[in-house]
Amino acid sequence: MYVERTSRLGGAVVWTDSPSRPGAGRVLPDGCMDLLWNEGRLMVAGPDTRAYVTEGVSGSWAGLRFFPGQAPGFLGVPAHELRDRRVDLAELWSPAVVRRLTARVNAADDPASGLEEVVLERAAEVGRTDPVLRQVVEALEAGRAVAVTADELGLGARQLHRKSLAAFGYGPKTLARVLRLQRALALARDGVPFAETAARTGYSDQAHLARDVRDLAGLSLGELLGGR
């Protein structure tokens, strides 16, 4: 069963997942990166450009999902280096440090709380995320065009692209597409008809929505909503 809660780290989410049945899971692109715990192992999930299928991965999971753009400062690694990847934390940090942190998480009352404590301590050391990154996310989530977003923030197109690669793992157009997918899924899950969902989230028509969902999620919108 999947359960999540708001983290004490602003904008982040703490979650746990104990699959109740075998089979593939599907993690959809959302612009985020996660610090993961799985059966005593610490890993990082990079930003996805397509659905990540978890077939063959078992056991209990816990994670802290960073707000888009937060994780690279915490990890000290540009997001584009982790795009579409799942890596052991020891590949990014000193193995000795990772062993110590893993022991802390394993000794916590629950792994999710242990992860959160580790992240909060590290976040206090590295300081705040560039506030411009949150403004980029907020503008694109609101449906603003990339060019308009760059102009409003006083950034050139190339500057915005460089910032986006380092912070989100891909350019602003891909980020906008991923965020639009998440907006559409939220409406459709609330029962909004597909055609209205497409119109309200900036797709040219329902067929455009269907193509984008299939491309990013690997399933049709109906299959996603049906839990398949």
Side-chain angles (χ1 to χ4, degrees):
M1 181 175 67
Y2 177 85
V3 178
E4 67 177 41
R5 64 172 173 82
T6 301
S7 172
R8 286 177 287 156
L9 179 69
V13 171
V14 176
W15 58 267
T16 59
D17 190 17
S18 299
S20 58
R21 58 184 180 181
R26 189 172 295 267
V27 180
L28 302 185
D30 58 6
C32 300
M33 297 172 61
D34 293 57
L35 180 64
L36 306 172
W37 174 94
N38 172 234
E39 301 296 331
R41 176 185 174 201
L42 294 182
M43 295 177 288
V44 174
D48 294 321
T49 58
R50 298 290 187 273
Y52 179 80
V53 179
T54 61
E55 188 169 12
V57 181
S58 61
S60 297
W61 290 80
L64 185 139
R65 182 176 306 115
F66 293 90
F67 187 81
Q70 275 185 330
F74 170 83
L75 295 170
V77 177
H80 63 82
E81 293 187 8
L82 300 172
R83 184 172 54 234
D84 294 321
R85 298 178 62 200
R86 303 296 188 271
V87 301
D88 285 336
L89 185 60
E91 292 185 30
L92 308 178
W93 291 0
S94 159
V97 170
V98 174
R99 284 195 297 271
R100 176 173 57 81
L101 295 178
T102 301
R104 280 187 57 187
V105 174
N106 290 340
D109 290 338
D110 66 272
S113 296
L115 282 176
E116 185 176 32
E117 290 300 327
V118 166
V119 171
L120 288 169
E121 287 185 13
R122 171 72 174 169
E125 295 173 3
V126 301
R128 294 180 59 204
T129 302
D130 183 352
V132 170
L133 299 177
R134 183 176 286 268
Q135 292 173 319
V136 170
V137 175
E138 290 173 347
L140 297 178
E141 272 193 326
R144 289 187 180 87
V146 170
V148 172
T149 297
D151 287 343
E152 289 179 346
L153 298 178
L155 299 173
R158 291 184 179 180
Q159 186 181 12
L160 177 58
H161 190 79
R162 286 195 302 270
K163 279 182 173 289
S164 295
L165 282 178
F168 310 121
Y170 29 63
K173 289 185 178 179
T174 298
L175 177 62
R177 190 177 175 217
V178 166
L179 295 175
R180 180 173 62 179
L181 170 72
Q182 290 294 330
R183 294 198 308 275
L185 289 176
L187 288 176
R189 285 172 180 143
D190 284 343
V192 177
F194 292 175
E196 183 180 347
T197 291
R200 289 172 58 178
T201 49
Y203 292 93
S204 57
D205 53 28
Q206 185 175 334
H208 182 197
L209 167 64
R211 289 193 302 272
D212 226 38
V213 170
R214 173 70 72 176
D215 189 33
L216 292 172
L219 295 173
S220 71
L221 185 52
E223 287 171 331
L224 285 175
L225 297 182
R228 291 175 53 184

